[in-house]
Amino acid sequence: MDSQHVSDDLDLEQTLFTEKQIQDRLAEMAREIERDYAGRDVLLVGVLKGAVMVMADLARTLDRHVEMDWMAVSSYGSGTTSSGVVRILKDLDTDISGRDVLVVEDIIDTGLTLSWLIANLKSRGPASVEIATLLRKPDAQQMEVDVKYVGFDIPNAFVVGYGLDYAEKYRNLRCVGTLAPHVYS
Ligand code: IMP
């Protein structure tokens, strides 16, 4: 393991992205977002809980005013597979009709949850809905929804850190990495 920090937990097998790599990429995405939304108000919508870190850092590296709101959804799935059937646990506080909405995500795997969420948001009459995600897995390519801003495309492995959890743990790691096999066994 080549992790330099104490916070790069020993449970990690491999660090995929260091704190610096994540911050640098978010800054690049922020410059694109600033350009694309010049002269328009933008409402960032974070999906709890995983997107908390991405939202905090992306929003702060944006050199422009934004509003932030949050949704919490639960996907009815068996274990680690999501089914695309979704229940809203916490809805937006904001009326998004006529608004430019940018959904901020940590990771897109199958994209089933997100497809449902985007359809739900579009039914509320926003001016636009786009997606920004830090990480994207290969299965997301089958998703019918376009993802406008992608931090990193990653292989099909289970990753933790920077908001992403395994059994609610590891969300507060500053890096993103794969878990060592001893954690599962
Ligand atoms: P999807 O509906 O299959 O795209 O599932 C997306 C959700 O599954 C994400 O928001 C995460 O909460 C979770 N997820 C998918 N892959 C991972 C992973 O590698 N680590 C941690 N959580 C993941």
Side-chain angles (χ1 to χ4, degrees):
M1 193 173 70
D2 63 346
S3 60
Q4 316 91 316
H5 307 289
V6 177
S7 55
D8 290 354
D9 200 285
L10 290 173
D11 291 348
L12 291 190
E13 182 170 62
Q14 192 195 353
T15 301
L16 292 184
F17 304 106
T18 63
E19 179 178 14
K20 172 147 190 348
Q21 287 172 316
I22 294 169
Q23 297 304 330
D24 287 351
R25 185 69 189 113
L26 287 179
E28 289 171 358
M29 292 164 74
R31 302 297 83 79
E32 278 181 61
I33 292 167
E34 285 161 4
R35 269 198 306 275
D36 294 350
Y37 288 89
R40 288 148 75 195
D41 288 331
V42 57
L43 173 69
L44 302 180
V45 169
V47 185
L48 295 168
K49 306 171 194 170
V52 166
M53 308 298 178
V54 187
M55 178 72 127
D57 288 337
L58 180 67
R60 285 182 296 179
T61 192
L62 280 168
D63 186 20
R64 52 157 300 146
H65 293 292
V66 289
E67 287 177 47
M68 284 180 248
D69 203 346
W70 299 92
M71 281 184 85
V73 295
S74 99
S75 170
Y76 294 103
S78 53
T80 53
T81 330
S82 66
S83 60
V85 182
V86 176
R87 188 164 54 109
I88 296 178
L89 302 177
K90 187 228 167 283
D91 207 342
L92 296 173
D93 297 329
T94 317
D95 175 2
I96 62 167
S97 68
R99 301 291 309 267
D100 289 305
V101 175
L102 179 58
V103 175
V104 176
E105 268 284 19
D106 49 356
I107 192 165
I108 305 175
D109 184 2
T110 63
L112 280 170
T113 311
L114 195 57
S115 299
W116 182 93
L117 188 67
I118 297 300
N120 179 284
L121 292 176
K122 284 190 171 162
S123 74
R124 306 181 194 196
S128 67
V129 182
E130 301 289 356
I131 303 163
T133 186
L134 179 67
L135 304 172
R136 180 172 64 180
K137 288 190 187 176
D139 284 351
Q141 313 294 351
Q142 293 156 29
M143 196 176 76
E144 66 272 25
V145 182
D146 274 347
V147 184
K148 189 153 187 192
Y149 310 96
V150 179
F152 303 103
D153 278 302
I154 62 168
N156 233 336
F158 194 80
V159 294
V160 295
Y162 201 72
L164 291 157
D165 75 307
Y166 173 66
E168 292 302 324
K169 210 174 151 189
Y170 309 109
R171 288 194 200 274
N172 60 327
L173 296 184
R174 290 173 182 270
C175 65
V176 170
T178 51
L179 273 182
H182 76 81
V183 179
Y184 296 102
S185 49

